[in-house]
């Protein structure tokens, strides 16, 4: 069995993820529509988690975007990080999918990325697991169409997710 044949959602959306919109598990529509519809599924719960984490875990460190020119912060957070993190995410997700199935792969990916971001800023990990759950679902959903389409879809959602708060921070500062 090849990785390409195993990737994706055989049998449709897993029961454990039935609370998520059905479209996340199908690559049938145009890519642009999938990305635009997936973005609020990522962003709105992530904003709620960020607000909750800031209230309940205010003593934990939040992300530090560093100094430097605003264009570098923007390029790093909105362009570089989503592409690099999506490329880094793809290997483990594909391997775990092949070994244990897509549900374990996406949940494992979300938890791993939450832990990795927590190493940089503890409060960040409380929020980041959610977006990476959706990015991982998007990757596996589009993987049957090819590696680069799957990377592109997941990275595009990630770019949109990072762009809005970074633009707000840069404009407000």
């Amino acid at each position: 069995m090849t990785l390409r044949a195993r990737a994706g959602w055989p049998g449709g959306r897993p029961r454990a993820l039935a609370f998520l919109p059905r479209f996340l598990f199908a690559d049938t529509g145009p890519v642009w529509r999938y990305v635009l519809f997936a973005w609020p599924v990522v962003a709105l719960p992530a904003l709620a988690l960020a607000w909750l984490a800031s209230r309940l875990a205010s003593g934990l460190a939040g992300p530090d975007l560093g100094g430097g020119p605003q264009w570098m912060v923007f390029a790093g957070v909105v362009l570089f990080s989503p592409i690099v993190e999506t490329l880094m995410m793809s290997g483990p997700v594909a391997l775990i999918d092949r070994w244990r199935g897509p549900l374990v792969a996406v949940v494992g990916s979300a938890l791993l990325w939450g832990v990795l971001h927590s190493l940089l800023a503890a409060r960040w990990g409380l929020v980041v697991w959610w977006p990476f759950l959706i990015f991982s679902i998007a990757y596996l959903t589009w993987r049957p169409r090819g590696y680069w389409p799957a990377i592109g879809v997941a990275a595009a959602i990630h770019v949109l997710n990072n762009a809005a708060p970074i633009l707000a921070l840069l404009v407000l500062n």
Side-chain angles (χ1 to χ4, degrees):
M1 183 182 319
T2 67
L3 188 59
R4 184 178 171 111
R6 177 64 180 89
W9 299 96
R13 175 176 57 176
R15 187 172 297 140
L17 300 176
F19 63 94
L20 291 170
R22 192 174 301 277
F23 82 87
L24 286 175
F25 303 89
D27 67 346
T28 54
V31 170
W32 66 266
R33 186 172 61 200
Y34 185 94
V35 170
L36 287 179
F37 284 19
W39 177 39
V41 175
V42 172
L44 296 177
L47 286 171
L49 286 170
W51 178 84
L52 190 61
S54 72
R55 298 295 177 256
L56 299 177
S58 60
L60 296 177
D64 178 15
L65 301 176
Q70 289 185 339
W71 70 268
M72 285 183 65
V73 172
F74 181 83
V77 174
V78 176
L79 300 175
F80 181 77
S81 292
I83 293 167
V84 170
E85 287 178 345
T86 302
L87 288 167
M88 290 171 59
M89 176 193 79
S90 67
V93 168
L95 288 173
I96 296 169
D97 175 38
R98 185 172 181 154
W99 176 50
R100 300 293 296 165
L103 178 61
V104 174
V106 299
V107 171
S109 175
L111 294 174
L112 174 64
W113 283 98
V115 167
L116 290 174
H117 281 79
S118 288
L119 296 174
L120 297 172
R123 194 170 55 207
W124 207 359
L126 299 173
V127 177
V128 162
W129 68 270
W130 176 261
F132 275 93
L133 178 73
I134 307 304
F135 304 153
S136 300
I137 290 169
Y139 173 80
L140 284 183
T141 297
W142 289 85
R143 181 64 181 93
R145 294 230 187 155
Y147 178 75
W148 291 112
I151 291 291
V153 168
I157 299 165
H158 197 157
V159 164
L160 288 176
N161 184 65
N162 287 10
I166 289 302
L167 284 172
L169 284 173
L170 294 177
V171 168
L172 295 174
N173 283 337

